[in-house]
Amino acid sequence: MEKTNDSIKEIIQRAKEGNQIAFSNLVDTFWNDVYGFQMLRTKNENDAEDITIRTFSKAFDKIDTYDENYEFKTWLITISKNLHVDLLRKRKRSLMNEMESRGDEVKRVLDETPTVEDRLITEQNLANLLQDIKKMKPHYQKVINLRYFQEMSYADIAKELNEPVNNIKVKLLRAKKLLAEIIKKK
């Protein structure tokens, strides 16, 4: 069903009011446009999907800044394009740093076996992480648990929770952002 311009504006307004179903409708309506745009730019399915997920997450975080004088799709594509540029800059910086650090690699021989202290620190960090996860809303706890502790795929999580895969991806991204905020507040 093709949505009319007026119905899109109504959905955007409901999304601005915090309506989750409206957010889902916008994801369903514009996912293919943003993903297709990124596939043309990145020529990589994983990057295109990751950038598309982050595009919707950022758009929903900043939906109050959307100017209705412009097309919503154009606004999403602009966010997507900027995220892609950021990713390219980050990769370039990472590559440069790696090249600089390789000079000392020959001089160092590292023992990679974890010591008893290392294992203890890892266990303590995991316990702290689990406590932080418990501070989140139950639906965010659930997606984090299913993805990272039970190592389920997006499709399996979607089936388990009876939700579209795109919603699971956006929900998981939001959960990770919220968890990062909780950890930073410590």
Side-chain angles (χ1 to χ4, degrees):
M1 181 183 111
E2 189 66 28
K3 292 182 171 72
T4 65
N5 204 23
D6 288 339
S7 71
I8 298 275
K9 287 181 180 180
E10 291 170 17
I11 294 170
I12 293 167
Q13 187 55 45
R14 289 198 315 269
K16 283 183 174 184
E17 294 165 2
N19 183 314
Q20 291 293 323
I21 294 170
F23 285 138
S24 294
N25 282 335
L26 290 172
V27 169
D28 292 342
T29 303
F30 294 103
W31 177 271
N32 289 339
D33 295 320
V34 177
Y35 180 77
F37 173 75
Q38 280 306 327
M39 276 300 294
L40 290 172
R41 287 178 67 99
T42 65
K43 298 183 181 18
N44 178 306
E45 289 180 15
N46 292 330
D47 286 346
E49 186 173 52
D50 182 51
I51 293 169
T52 302
I53 292 167
R54 290 193 293 141
T55 298
F56 282 101
S57 179
K58 188 168 191 162
F60 297 145
D61 288 345
K62 306 284 186 188
I63 195 147
D64 290 334
T65 66
Y66 168 65
D67 182 352
E68 293 174 10
N69 292 321
Y70 302 97
E71 290 290 324
F72 190 72
K73 176 179 164 182
T74 305
W75 186 65
L76 287 173
I77 295 293
T78 302
I79 292 170
S80 181
K81 180 183 67 142
N82 291 338
L83 288 170
H84 181 235
V85 169
D86 292 345
L87 177 69
L88 293 175
R89 285 184 187 139
K90 183 178 177 182
R91 285 185 179 163
K92 183 178 178 183
R93 232 183 350 261
S94 174
L95 183 62
M96 297 301 279
N97 290 340
E98 186 178 328
M99 288 172 61
E100 288 174 11
S101 68
R102 288 277 167 123
D104 298 336
E105 195 171 307
V106 178
K107 299 175 187 173
R108 286 186 259 133
V109 177
L110 298 173
D111 179 11
E112 294 184 10
T113 357
T115 63
V116 175
E117 292 86 3
D118 291 336
R119 286 194 297 272
L120 183 61
I121 289 170
T122 301
E123 288 173 16
Q124 286 176 340
N125 286 341
L126 182 59
N128 289 339
L129 180 63
L130 290 171
Q131 286 178 337
D132 292 337
I133 290 171
K134 287 181 181 176
K135 295 176 186 174
M136 300 171 69
K137 291 182 179 179
H139 61 278
Y140 289 134
Q141 289 180 30
K142 183 84 172 169
V143 292
I144 293 236
N145 179 36
L146 293 173
R147 180 70 175 164
Y148 297 107
F149 293 98
Q150 295 183 29
E151 298 181 351
M152 291 175 72
S153 68
Y154 291 126
D156 291 340
I157 296 170
K159 201 177 293 179
E160 173 88 14
L161 300 179
N162 197 25
E163 289 187 38
V165 173
N166 294 340
N167 288 9
I168 297 300
K169 291 175 182 177
V170 172
K171 194 178 282 188
L172 194 57
L173 187 66
R174 285 184 185 164
K176 289 191 292 189
K177 281 184 178 181
L178 290 171
L179 184 58
E181 288 174 17
I182 290 169
I183 292 169
K184 282 181 189 173
K185 287 180 183 176
K186 284 184 170 183

